[in-house]
Amino acid sequence: MVPLSYYLILSLILFSVGMAGVLLRRNIIIVLMSLELIFNSVNINLVAFSHHLQSMAGRIFVIFTITIAAAEVAIGLAIIVAMYRRVKTVYVDKLRGMKG
Amino acid sequence: MDSVNNLPVLVVIIPLLSAILTPIIGRIIRSAGWYMTVVATFTVFMMALSLLFSVLDGGAISYSLGGWEPPWGIEYVVDYISGFVMVVVSLLAFIVAVYARRSVELEIAEDKASFFYAAYLLFLTGLMGMTITGDMFNLYVFVEITSLAVYALIAMGKRREALIASFNYLILGTIAGTFILIGVGYLYMATGTLNMADLRRLLPALYNTTLVRTAFAFFTVGLSLKLALFPFHIWLPNAYTQAPSVVSAFVAATATKVGAYVLMRIMFNVFTVRFNMEVIPVTSILLALSSLAIIAGSVIAISQTNIKRMLAYSSIGQIGYIVFGVAIANDTAVTGSIVHIFNHALMKGSLFMVVGAVVYRTGIEDIAGLKGMGKKMPFTMAAFTIGALSMIGVPLTVGFVSKWYLILGALEAHMWYLVPVVLISSLLTAVYFWRVVESIYFHHTDGEESIHCVSSMNEAPAIMTIPAFLLAFFCILFGIAAFLPVSVASTAAKMLLGVV
């Protein structure tokens, strides 16, 4: 059996990759994908805990989290599409000039 | 009789169902959205009020969702503080909804109006849920519902900068959301339960484990981002400035306040005061941050030229006040914080509605453009002046009451060195609000400035001025009859801190 800590390390790596992506990447679509990585790292956490505790609750939480992440991305992409129609770019640097 | 027992779930379900129905009916009857929103928010307000009264009569209400008993099912809890916050949120939702009609006609495309109202109701659903729930995972879900609705609402702003403001908030808000979720996951790992009452019982034995401490750290950071505590505030000014006027008024008055309420719930109700003060010194960190927020918010507000942006920075300072009381953590200071949730909702709601009315009539958002407005829109500007006086904390307004309790709390905790923070910030508040009030009443228009400057009276429609004026009136009413909110808030504070 794979010990709990392995799952947590995997989740930590995913979380760090996601966080680095959000902070460093300049393309807002990739920023959105990095957010998804963070979500998935948390999901792995929850499933691992649920397996460790031998209770179903954690797995059910994950179903809800996936739904929420889907909604989040839908709104994020909608904003990106609206933004692209107006400014024709998806790069953070080019958007910077139009702060409110 | 049955529906009365089900009130705790109805305050969440009614806005949720109306949010689904609004775009469907809006497709057939164009103007139905506004009517449905007003009816739904009014119903929710009456229900929240009756819940608060039944709590005042007979103590806390616990409601098990779907008949599943608490540790397994989701529990809804109505006690003094959640009842109080629900009344505040639903009152603001109702008044802003009444105000919304003309402003939405101007700022939102006609075919999108029903979706706007749907998002508005979803946002209310999330806030009510966050307030009433007694379950950590359910709390996270409602936090996300609230945030998703706000992203959509902000993105509906007219300028393209609104999209960027909304996207910025989406990224920061999602990270905050995942932080809260990680905290939830760790607590679940540590205890195997997520019911707040259960957690309170099980956690003290685990206070020294790294897992529980890390969970608490994730909660604090995540919530600080959501409530825009000073170093985490960068999303707020753009979001409030670019959002449609109605959204600025509603979000500024409620969203961050409910965030502060959730912070109190987790700090004092899931964890205990002892944990916050002795095990990890989170109260001293929050105290430093909130003092910084109070001063920095006011200082930055002074240099703003856009009035919505000025109010946004002033909000950051006011959030500082709420967290300030929480961080002092004695019952007088926490009373001050809870009362300030109510007071700030009244003041900021009124101020943002006035700004919305000015934008509706003239399209002006610059402070310099407000010259001579006291003659053109006398009633609206009177409401603004009352709101401004209350923000400064002049006696007989609500702003004075909460500052009084915060200062008393600081003195009771022997932290006299915190008193100047509140006093200096009041002075700074006076500086930036007086600049506006002076320009409204004491500067005359130059005549040739622009076409907006007609010297005759040009008041905003009554449906916009009356709600703004009503909130300004409440600022004075509850400044004089301060015992009404204070008595509820002080009982709530005592229960939170476990004094009684």
Side-chain angles (χ1 to χ4, degrees):
Chain A
M1 197 180 120
V2 187
L4 179 65
S5 56
Y6 284 32
Y7 291 108
L8 296 186
I9 290 167
L10 172 67
S11 147
L12 175 72
I13 293 169
L14 268 181
F15 186 85
S16 314
V17 171
M19 203 48 126
V22 170
L23 295 174
L24 301 176
R25 295 308 287 260
R26 293 277 145 239
N27 185 326
I28 48 179
I29 294 177
I30 295 185
V31 170
L32 207 62
M33 284 157 74
S34 307
L35 276 182
E36 282 307 285
L37 277 186
I38 298 181
F39 256 117
N40 285 335
S41 83
V42 180
N43 287 347
I44 290 174
N45 249 345
L46 282 173
V47 174
F49 288 157
S50 147
H51 184 67
H52 180 80
L53 294 171
Q54 291 297 313
S55 98
M56 279 308 284
R59 270 162 262 190
I60 293 165
F61 294 157
V62 171
I63 305 284
F64 280 95
T65 319
I66 291 171
T67 320
I68 289 168
E72 204 103 54
V73 167
I75 291 188
L77 283 176
I79 294 175
I80 291 175
V81 168
M83 210 144 53
Y84 186 76
R85 279 189 191 146
R86 293 198 191 182
V87 246
K88 302 282 177 215
T89 181
V90 288
Y91 288 92
V92 180
D93 305 311
K94 288 182 184 149
L95 295 170
R96 191 150 290 161
M98 35 185 280
K99 262 187 188 159
Chain B
M1 220 32 230
D2 219 31
S3 61
V4 173
N5 294 332
N6 286 327
L7 274 185
V9 71
L10 285 177
V11 293
V12 180
I13 292 291
I14 286 178
L16 181 65
L17 288 182
S18 325
I20 298 167
L21 286 177
T22 305
I24 299 173
I25 296 178
R27 207 153 251 274
I28 308 160
I29 314 160
R30 272 285 162 86
S31 57
W34 179 74
Y35 290 102
M36 285 189 66
T37 311
V38 169
V39 171
T41 47
F42 182 70
T43 320
V44 172
F45 172 56
M46 289 324 263
M47 284 174 164
L49 210 56
S50 83
L51 275 175
L52 180 65
F53 279 121
S54 59
V55 169
L56 292 177
D57 278 346
I61 302 166
S62 160
Y63 179 86
S64 18
L65 216 61
W68 294 82
E69 288 306 311
W72 297 281
I74 292 167
E75 184 191 14
Y76 277 5
V77 182
V78 190
D79 53 14
Y80 279 85
I81 180 163
S82 61
F84 183 71
V85 175
M86 277 200 296
V87 169
V88 175
V89 169
S90 52
L91 171 71
L92 259 295
F94 170 59
I95 292 181
V96 177
V98 172
Y99 164 91
R101 185 177 185 179
R102 300 295 289 271
S103 187
V104 168
E105 278 172 9
L106 179 78
E107 292 182 24
I108 310 285
E110 204 195 346
D111 56 328
K112 287 190 189 127
S114 54
F115 293 106
F116 174 86
Y117 287 116
Y120 185 95
L121 286 167
L122 266 183
F123 178 58
L124 177 65
T125 311
L127 291 178
M128 295 307 268
M130 273 163 87
T131 316
I132 203 171
T133 189
D135 182 277
M136 294 303 268
F137 188 74
N138 200 232
L139 174 73
Y140 164 74
V141 172
F142 279 122
V143 167
E144 284 299 324
I145 291 177
T146 315
S147 312
L148 291 172
V150 175
Y151 306 148
L153 286 173
I154 293 171
M156 284 183 181
K158 254 163 98 186
R159 286 185 292 259
R160 61 182 187 181
E161 285 88 346
L163 293 171
I164 296 177
S166 171
F167 195 75
N168 265 337
Y169 184 26
L170 181 123
I171 290 172
L172 288 174
T174 309
I175 292 175
T178 41
F179 272 42
I180 295 172
L181 184 60
I182 291 172
V184 170
Y186 285 178
L187 284 188
Y188 168 66
M189 177 67 195
T191 61
T193 177
L194 285 175
N195 181 279
M196 287 185 189
D198 249 18
L199 282 172
R200 188 181 171 79
R201 194 168 49 78
L202 293 171
L203 278 177
L206 303 164
Y207 276 170
N208 287 317
T209 57
T210 326
L211 194 59
V212 169
R213 289 178 180 198
T214 318
F216 184 77
F218 272 113
F219 275 125
T220 318
V221 175
L223 285 171
S224 303
L225 248 166
K226 283 278 173 209
L227 64 86
L229 187 61
F230 173 60
F232 306 106
H233 68 282
I234 35 171
W235 58 267
L236 188 141
N238 277 334
Y240 283 13
T241 316
Q242 303 302 341
S245 316
V246 177
V247 177
S248 306
F250 188 30
V251 174
T254 54
T256 47
K257 311 299 154 324
V258 175
Y261 156 83
V262 171
L263 184 72
M264 284 186 208
R265 255 262 191 275
I266 289 177
M267 278 177 68
F268 300 137
N269 218 323
V270 175
F271 291 85
T272 53
V273 186
R274 193 181 72 77
F275 178 80
N276 290 308
M277 296 187 107
E278 289 163 23
V279 182
I280 44 177
V282 65
T283 47
S284 29
I285 298 169
L286 286 180
L287 201 57
L289 289 183
S290 58
S291 306
L292 267 176
I294 293 172
I295 300 291
S298 310
V299 170
I300 304 172
I302 291 177
S303 64
Q304 300 304 317
T305 52
N306 181 311
I307 189 157
K308 277 175 111 177
R309 206 167 247 286
M310 185 193 94
L311 291 179
Y313 276 108
S314 134
S315 278
I316 293 168
Q318 301 294 316
I319 292 153
Y321 279 122
I322 297 174
V323 179
F324 183 79
V326 173
I328 292 173
N330 62 18
D331 61 327
T332 318
V334 175
T335 305
S337 285
I338 298 171
V339 174
H340 201 61
I341 288 180
F342 174 60
N343 295 350
H344 184 236
L346 293 182
M347 301 186 279
K348 266 292 146 54
S350 161
L351 289 171
F352 267 114
M353 285 204 272
V354 167
V355 172
V358 173
V359 171
Y360 180 80
R361 261 296 168 249
T362 63
I364 296 172
E365 274 182 25
D366 277 343
I367 294 173
L370 293 173
K371 274 181 193 164
M373 208 53 99
K375 286 216 178 87
K376 272 178 266 169
M377 304 172 79
F379 297 111
T380 322
M381 288 305 140
F384 186 90
T385 314
I386 294 170
L389 287 176
S390 185
M391 293 289 294
I392 297 166
V394 175
L396 296 185
T397 57
V398 285
F400 176 72
V401 179
S402 34
K403 282 184 186 171
W404 174 257
Y405 275 92
L406 288 175
I407 291 178
L408 269 187
L411 289 175
E412 267 176 32
H414 303 294
M415 298 181 189
W416 54 267
Y417 47 87
L418 292 173
V419 176
V421 173
V422 178
L423 297 181
I424 290 173
S425 140
S426 294
L427 196 68
L428 293 172
T429 314
V431 171
Y432 65 78
F433 269 113
W434 213 252
R435 200 166 48 118
V436 182
V437 171
E438 196 192 353
S439 146
I440 291 171
Y441 287 110
F442 302 111
H443 287 281
H444 295 290
T445 42
D446 301 338
E448 27 123 340
E449 260 208 273
S450 71
I451 44 156
H452 302 305
C453 297
V454 257
S455 53
S456 60
M457 215 169 98
N458 188 13
E459 191 56 83
I463 203 166
M464 296 177 88
T465 41
I466 290 172
F469 216 84
L470 189 66
L471 283 188
F473 172 69
F474 283 159
C475 283
I476 294 181
L477 179 68
F478 290 109
I480 297 169
F483 57 89
L484 287 171
V486 167
S487 62
V488 179
S490 79
T491 320
K494 287 194 178 98
M495 287 180 94
L496 267 182
L497 297 171
V499 181
V500 280

